[in-house]
């Protein structure tokens, strides 16, 4: 994916600043063929590591502007200027007149910066879905920024210090959720946000928000045609005239992308799938169904435990902060197949679930929400006394199940989504050392979840959850997972299903068309019925889950790597030694798949430390 970096209000000569900017940009393009484009002034500089066509820099009279990615203006006048003079120049010229409102005129996947040495002001922004990341830090009266902390940390003003709260958040979420980063004082922009640096202070605001139009009713056939049009347009835009490949898991999203890719290009799509020789984890059968249905040029690879051992240090190193989603490894091997075929870009199907209601928890939370609609008098006066007061109810399956339902349904959203959170199940005092807990707020994750959930403007439960997942599932987790896995393989990646046009379409879709009762992705599937194979539409959601816990029980090199990593983690005085011992010696035997996740999360934390 490469990236952008730079700073304002610091520097020496133009030559020295240019050299420093190039040094900062070096980690951004270290795994692919990106060139570094840089410009510098007397107290500012910017650099973009990217392939030709996705790096734009403009410099004039103390003003520097840069755009990284696939951005364009939606306003015809600005689009015409950008075509004639360049998008970076158009952005800079109009920022002086319109301020940060200019970012609302941009569409596509991008991050950008504007640096004005004359007024000592700067502006940063990222795209509406957070596809292209951007972090920043105030240091010695200046602003330093970059797509990766690896670039920011090379600036001489930056002193890196790990934030204990972010370590806690990582173990809770299995990643560090924005706007925080793993480093003290370093923050990152959230989807649709812009930053203005003025008079030594930072102001962050949203230039775009997900605003749902929940009452707009349109005929199904009209919706279907519009949907197919924006789907084709989304794929066509990112493909252009280049040859690309596509991830194919056999799920609804990736199968849709594979089929659209063939239609848009007029030739069989090149698709790539990963399998696992482990019961309950392999869905290669569905990938093959989709590949046959769309007559793709299909390749597949079965990831082995030895592959995992080889890839773990590399995957830990590519992320600029700890990242505990194990499916980054199969994504890496999938992208590597495409790289070996001579391709330079992959299409990911991420985002469809979070726009059209495809995650299993949406149906589950809908069922729990039904209990909230029962009158309080009936709930508190009859149902709960009966369920919890029934003699011997704890051992009777129907009563036990009813108790579990009432207990979970009584927890307010969004805390209800975390009832199976691993850290919550273990208890933070059982996991972390007392010394570490003295430095953190264990309630912060719950506060962040609640704050994000209640920021949404939707009335319906499904839309509130979709807005919630735009941040936690997409921007914080799935998008960086795939982007970094592709970067490690030397590949670019695009996500056609979260184009601004498709997002806008989803915002206007009636809530019941996303989740109809407990039917997930109702409209999406019905609109693509006849295009997708029936087996794909009917299949249960799966994904690129890694059978790490299962393999950990039998594969000696994997056991050694995990045990050594967790043993070394003990010395950092973050996680209690007795918890690590119990996790490896007892919990794994009880449920390898469940507890193996925590082994992975802690192992990747230590591996990240080792690479740094």
């Amino acid at each position: 994916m490469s990236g952008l970096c730079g700073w304002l209000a610091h520097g020496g000569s133009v030559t020295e600043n240019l050299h420093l900017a190039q040094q900062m940009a070096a980690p951004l393009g270290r795994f692919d063929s990106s060139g570094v484009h840089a410009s510098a002034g007397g107290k500012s500089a910017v650099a973009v590591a990217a392939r030709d066509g996705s790096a734009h820099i403009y410099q004039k009279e103390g003003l520097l502007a840069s755009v990284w990615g696939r951005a364009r203006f939606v306003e015809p006048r600005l689009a015409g200027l950008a075509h004639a003079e360049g998008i970076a120049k158009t952005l800079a010229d109009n920022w002086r007149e319109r301020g940060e409102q200019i970012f609302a005129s941009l569409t596509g996947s991008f991050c950008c910066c504007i640096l004005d040495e004359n007024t000592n002001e700067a502006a940063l922004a990222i795209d509406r879905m957070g596809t292209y990341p951007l972090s920043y830090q105030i240091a010695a009266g200046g602003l330093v920024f970059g797509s990766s902390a690896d670039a920011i940390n090379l600036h001489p003003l930056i002193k890196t210090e790990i934030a204990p709260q972010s370590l806690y958040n990582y173990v809770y979420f299995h990643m560090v959720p924005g706007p925080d980063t793993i480093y003290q004082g370093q923050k990152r922009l959230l989807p649709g946000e812009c930053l203005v640096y003025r008079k030594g202070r930072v102001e962050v605001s949203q230039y775009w928000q997900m605003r749902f139009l929940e009452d707009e009713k349109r005929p199904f056939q009209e919706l279907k045609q519009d949907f197919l049009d924006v789907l084709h347009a989304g794929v066509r835009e990112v493909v252009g005239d280049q040859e690309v490949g596509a991830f194919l898991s056999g799920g609804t999203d990736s199968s849709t992308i594979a089929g659209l890719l063939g239609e848009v290009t007029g030739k069989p799509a090149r698709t790539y799938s990963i399998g696992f020789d482990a019961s309950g984890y392999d869905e290669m059968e569905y990938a093959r169904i989709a590949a046959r249905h769309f007559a793709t040029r299909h390749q597949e690879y079965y990831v082995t435990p030895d592959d995992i051992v080889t890839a773990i240090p590399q995957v830990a190193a590519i992320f600029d902060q700890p990242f505990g989603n194990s499916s980054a490894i199969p994504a890496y091997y999938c992208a590597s197949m495409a790289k070996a075929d001579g391709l330079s870009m992959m299409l990911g199907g991420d985002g469809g679930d979070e726009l059209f209601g495809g995650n299993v928890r949406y149906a589950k939370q809908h069922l729990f929400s039904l209990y909230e609609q029962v009158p309080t008098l009936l709930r508190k006066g009859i149902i709960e006394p009966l369920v919890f007061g029934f003699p011997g109810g704890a051992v009777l399956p129907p009563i036990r199940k009813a108790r579990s339902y009432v207990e979970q349904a009584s927890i307010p959203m969004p805390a209800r989504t975390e009832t199976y959170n691993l850290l919550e199940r273990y208890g933070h005092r059982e996991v972390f050392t007392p010394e570490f807990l003295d430095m953190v707020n264990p309630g912060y994750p719950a506060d962040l979840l609640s704050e994000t959930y209640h920021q949404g403007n939707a009335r319906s439960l499904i839309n509130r959850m979709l807005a919630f997942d735009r941040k936690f599932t997409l921007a914080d987790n799935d998008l960086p997972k795939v982007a970094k896995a592709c970067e490690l393989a030397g590949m670019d990646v695009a996500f056609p299903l979260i184009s601004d046009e498709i997002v806008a379409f989803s915002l206007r879709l009636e809530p019941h068309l996303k989740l109809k009762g407990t039917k997930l992705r109702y409209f999406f599937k019905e609109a693509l019925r006849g295009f997708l194979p029936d087996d794909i539409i009917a299949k249960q959601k799966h994904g690129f889950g890694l059978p790490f816990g299962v393999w950990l029980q039998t594969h000696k090199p994997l056991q050694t790597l995990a045990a050594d990593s967790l043993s070394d983690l003990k010395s950092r005085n973050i996680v209690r030694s007795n918890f690590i011992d119990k996790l490896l010696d007892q919990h794994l035997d009880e449920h390898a798949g469940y507890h193996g996740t925590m082994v992975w999360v802690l192992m990747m934390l230590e591996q990240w430390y080792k690479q740094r």
Side-chain angles (χ1 to χ4, degrees), residues 63-101:
L63 190 67
L64 265 174
S66 180
V67 179
W68 167 49
R70 295 176 283 270
R72 67 185 190 280
F73 285 103
V74 292
E75 295 178 31
R77 182 184 70 85
L78 295 179
L81 288 172
H83 179 75
E85 302 177 346
I87 191 167
K89 181 180 186 302
T90 304
L91 181 66
D93 290 345
N94 285 271
W95 177 67
R96 280 178 159 162
E97 298 177 9
R98 299 168 59 171
E100 52 267 35
Q101 293 301 316

Coordinates of all heavy atoms in Angstrom, one line a residue, residues 63-101:
L63 N 3.9 26.7 0.0 CA 2.8 25.9 0.2 C 3.1 24.5 -0.4 O 3.6 24.4 -1.5 CB 1.6 26.5 -0.6 CG 0.2 25.8 -0.4 CD1 -0.2 26.0 1.1 CD2 -0.8 26.4 -1.3
L64 N 2.9 23.5 0.4 CA 3.1 22.1 -0.1 C 1.8 21.3 0.1 O 1.1 21.4 1.1 CB 4.1 21.4 0.8 CG 5.6 21.4 0.4 CD1 6.5 20.8 1.5 CD2 5.8 20.6 -0.9
A65 N 1.4 20.5 -0.9 CA 0.2 19.7 -0.9 C 0.6 18.4 -1.5 O 1.3 18.2 -2.4 CB -0.9 20.4 -1.6
S66 N 0.0 17.3 -0.9 CA 0.2 16.0 -1.4 C -1.1 15.1 -1.2 O -1.8 15.3 -0.3 CB 1.4 15.3 -0.7 OG 1.6 14.0 -1.2
V67 N -1.3 14.3 -2.2 CA -2.4 13.3 -2.1 C -1.8 11.9 -2.5 O -1.1 11.8 -3.5 CB -3.5 13.7 -3.2 CG1 -4.6 12.6 -3.1 CG2 -4.1 15.1 -2.9
W68 N -2.2 11.0 -1.6 CA -1.8 9.6 -1.9 C -3.0 8.8 -2.1 O -3.9 8.8 -1.2 CB -0.9 9.0 -0.7 CG -0.7 7.5 -0.8 CD1 -0.3 6.8 -1.9 CD2 -1.0 6.6 0.3 NE1 -0.3 5.5 -1.5 CE2 -0.7 5.3 -0.2 CE3 -1.4 6.7 1.6 CZ2 -0.8 4.2 0.6 CZ3 -1.5 5.6 2.4 CH2 -1.2 4.3 1.9
G69 N -3.1 8.0 -3.2 CA -4.2 7.1 -3.4 C -5.0 7.4 -4.6 O -4.5 8.1 -5.6
R70 N -6.3 7.0 -4.6 CA -7.2 7.1 -5.8 C -8.3 8.1 -5.4 O -9.4 7.7 -5.2 CB -7.7 5.7 -6.2 CG -6.7 4.8 -6.6 CD -7.2 3.4 -6.9 NE -7.5 2.6 -5.7 CZ -6.6 1.9 -5.1 NH1 -5.4 1.7 -5.7 NH2 -6.8 1.2 -4.0
A71 N -7.9 9.4 -5.4 CA -8.9 10.4 -5.0 C -9.3 11.2 -6.3 O -8.6 11.3 -7.3 CB -8.3 11.4 -4.0
R72 N -10.5 11.7 -6.2 CA -11.0 12.6 -7.3 C -12.0 13.6 -6.6 O -12.6 13.3 -5.5 CB -11.6 11.8 -8.4 CG -12.9 11.1 -8.0 CD -13.5 10.3 -9.2 NE -14.8 9.8 -8.9 CZ -15.1 8.7 -8.1 NH1 -14.1 8.1 -7.5 NH2 -16.3 8.4 -8.0
F73 N -12.3 14.7 -7.3 CA -13.3 15.7 -6.9 C -14.6 15.3 -7.4 O -14.7 14.9 -8.6 CB -12.9 17.1 -7.3 CG -11.8 17.7 -6.5 CD1 -10.5 17.7 -7.0 CD2 -12.0 18.1 -5.2 CE1 -9.4 18.3 -6.2 CE2 -11.0 18.7 -4.4 CZ -9.7 18.7 -4.9
V74 N -15.7 15.5 -6.6 CA -17.0 15.2 -7.1 C -17.6 16.4 -7.8 O -18.5 16.3 -8.7 CB -17.9 14.7 -6.0 CG1 -17.5 13.4 -5.5 CG2 -17.9 15.7 -4.8
E75 N -17.2 17.6 -7.4 CA -17.7 18.8 -8.1 C -17.1 18.9 -9.5 O -15.9 18.9 -9.6 CB -17.3 20.1 -7.2 CG -18.0 20.1 -5.9 CD -17.6 21.3 -5.1 OE1 -17.3 22.4 -5.7 OE2 -17.5 21.2 -3.8
P76 N -17.9 19.1 -10.5 CA -17.4 19.2 -11.9 C -16.3 20.3 -12.1 O -15.3 20.0 -12.8 CB -18.7 19.5 -12.7 CG -19.8 19.0 -11.9 CD -19.4 19.2 -10.5
R77 N -16.5 21.4 -11.5 CA -15.5 22.5 -11.6 C -14.1 22.1 -11.1 O -13.1 22.2 -11.8 CB -16.0 23.8 -11.0 CG -15.0 24.9 -11.2 CD -15.4 26.2 -10.4 NE -15.3 26.0 -8.9 CZ -14.1 26.2 -8.3 NH1 -13.0 26.6 -8.9 NH2 -14.1 26.0 -7.0
L78 N -14.2 21.5 -9.9 CA -12.9 21.1 -9.3 C -12.3 19.9 -10.0 O -11.1 19.7 -10.2 CB -13.1 20.7 -7.8 CG -13.5 21.9 -6.9 CD1 -13.8 21.4 -5.5 CD2 -12.5 23.0 -6.9
A79 N -13.2 19.0 -10.5 CA -12.7 17.8 -11.2 C -12.0 18.3 -12.5 O -11.0 17.7 -12.9 CB -13.9 16.9 -11.5
G80 N -12.6 19.3 -13.2 CA -12.0 19.8 -14.4 C -10.6 20.4 -14.1 O -9.7 20.2 -14.8
L81 N -10.5 21.2 -13.0 CA -9.2 21.8 -12.6 C -8.2 20.7 -12.3 O -7.0 20.8 -12.7 CB -9.5 22.7 -11.4 CG -10.2 24.0 -11.7 CD1 -10.5 24.8 -10.4 CD2 -9.3 24.9 -12.6
A82 N -8.7 19.7 -11.6 CA -7.7 18.6 -11.2 C -7.2 17.9 -12.4 O -6.0 17.5 -12.5 CB -8.4 17.6 -10.2
H83 N -8.1 17.7 -13.4 CA -7.6 17.0 -14.6 C -6.6 17.9 -15.4 O -5.7 17.4 -16.0 CB -8.9 16.8 -15.5 CG -8.5 16.1 -16.8 ND1 -8.2 14.8 -16.9 CD2 -8.5 16.6 -18.1 CE1 -7.9 14.5 -18.2 NE2 -8.1 15.6 -18.9
A84 N -6.8 19.2 -15.4 CA -5.9 20.1 -16.1 C -4.6 20.4 -15.3 O -3.6 20.5 -15.9 CB -6.7 21.4 -16.5
E85 N -4.7 20.6 -14.0 CA -3.6 21.1 -13.3 C -3.1 20.2 -12.2 O -2.0 20.4 -11.6 CB -4.0 22.4 -12.6 CG -4.5 23.5 -13.5 CD -5.0 24.8 -12.8 OE1 -5.2 24.7 -11.5 OE2 -5.1 25.8 -13.4
G86 N -3.8 19.1 -12.0 CA -3.3 18.1 -11.0 C -4.2 18.2 -9.7 O -4.6 19.3 -9.3
I87 N -4.4 17.1 -9.1 CA -5.3 17.1 -7.9 C -4.7 17.8 -6.7 O -5.4 18.5 -5.9 CB -5.8 15.7 -7.6 CG1 -6.9 15.7 -6.6 CG2 -4.6 14.8 -7.1 CD1 -7.6 14.4 -6.4
A88 N -3.3 17.7 -6.5 CA -2.7 18.3 -5.4 C -2.8 19.8 -5.5 O -3.0 20.5 -4.5 CB -1.3 17.8 -5.3
K89 N -2.5 20.4 -6.7 CA -2.6 21.8 -6.9 C -4.0 22.3 -6.6 O -4.2 23.4 -6.0 CB -2.1 22.2 -8.3 CG -2.2 23.7 -8.5 CD -1.7 24.0 -9.9 CE -1.6 25.6 -10.1 NZ -2.8 26.3 -9.9
T90 N -5.0 21.6 -7.2 CA -6.4 22.0 -7.0 C -6.8 22.0 -5.5 O -7.5 22.9 -5.0 CB -7.3 21.1 -7.8 OG1 -6.9 21.1 -9.2 CG2 -8.8 21.5 -7.7
L91 N -6.3 21.0 -4.8 CA -6.6 20.9 -3.4 C -6.0 22.1 -2.6 O -6.7 22.7 -1.8 CB -6.0 19.6 -2.8 CG -6.3 19.3 -1.3 CD1 -7.7 19.1 -1.1 CD2 -5.5 18.0 -0.9
A92 N -4.7 22.4 -2.9 CA -4.0 23.5 -2.2 C -4.7 24.8 -2.5 O -4.9 25.6 -1.6 CB -2.6 23.5 -2.6
D93 N -4.9 25.1 -3.8 CA -5.5 26.4 -4.2 C -6.9 26.6 -3.5 O -7.2 27.7 -3.1 CB -5.7 26.4 -5.7 CG -4.3 26.6 -6.4 OD1 -3.3 26.9 -5.7 OD2 -4.3 26.3 -7.6
N94 N -7.7 25.6 -3.5 CA -9.1 25.8 -3.0 C -9.1 25.7 -1.4 O -10.1 26.2 -0.8 CB -10.0 24.7 -3.6 CG -10.3 25.1 -5.0 OD1 -11.3 25.8 -5.3 ND2 -9.5 24.6 -6.0
W95 N -8.1 25.1 -0.8 CA -8.1 25.1 0.6 C -7.9 26.5 1.2 O -8.5 26.8 2.2 CB -6.9 24.2 1.1 CG -6.7 24.2 2.6 CD1 -7.6 23.6 3.5 CD2 -5.7 24.7 3.4 NE1 -7.1 23.8 4.8 CE2 -5.9 24.5 4.7 CE3 -4.5 25.4 3.0 CZ2 -5.1 24.8 5.7 CZ3 -3.6 25.8 4.0 CH2 -3.9 25.5 5.4
R96 N -7.1 27.3 0.5 CA -6.9 28.6 0.9 C -8.3 29.4 1.0 O -8.5 30.3 1.8 CB -5.9 29.4 0.0 CG -4.5 29.0 0.4 CD -3.5 29.7 -0.5 NE -2.2 29.7 0.1 CZ -1.1 30.0 -0.6 NH1 -1.1 30.1 -1.9 NH2 0.1 30.0 0.0
E97 N -9.2 29.0 0.1 CA -10.5 29.7 0.0 C -11.5 29.1 0.9 O -12.4 29.7 1.5 CB -11.0 29.7 -1.5 CG -10.1 30.5 -2.4 CD -10.6 30.4 -3.8 OE1 -11.7 29.9 -4.0 OE2 -9.9 30.8 -4.8
R98 N -11.5 27.7 0.9 CA -12.6 27.0 1.6 C -12.3 26.3 2.9 O -13.1 25.8 3.5 CB -13.2 26.0 0.6 CG -13.7 26.7 -0.7 CD -14.1 25.7 -1.8 NE -15.0 24.7 -1.5 CZ -15.6 23.9 -2.3 NH1 -15.3 24.0 -3.6 NH2 -16.4 23.0 -2.0
G99 N -11.0 26.3 3.2 CA -10.6 25.7 4.5 C -10.8 24.2 4.4 O -10.8 23.6 3.3
E100 N -11.1 23.6 5.6 CA -11.2 22.1 5.6 C -12.5 21.6 4.9 O -12.6 20.4 4.7 CB -11.2 21.6 7.0 CG -12.1 22.3 8.0 CD -11.5 23.5 8.7 OE1 -10.7 24.2 8.1 OE2 -11.9 23.7 9.9
Q101 N -13.4 22.5 4.5 CA -14.6 22.0 3.8 C -14.2 21.5 2.4 O -15.0 20.7 1.9 CB -15.5 23.2 3.6 CG -16.2 23.7 4.9 CD -16.9 22.6 5.7 OE1 -17.7 21.9 5.0 NE2 -16.7 22.5 7.0

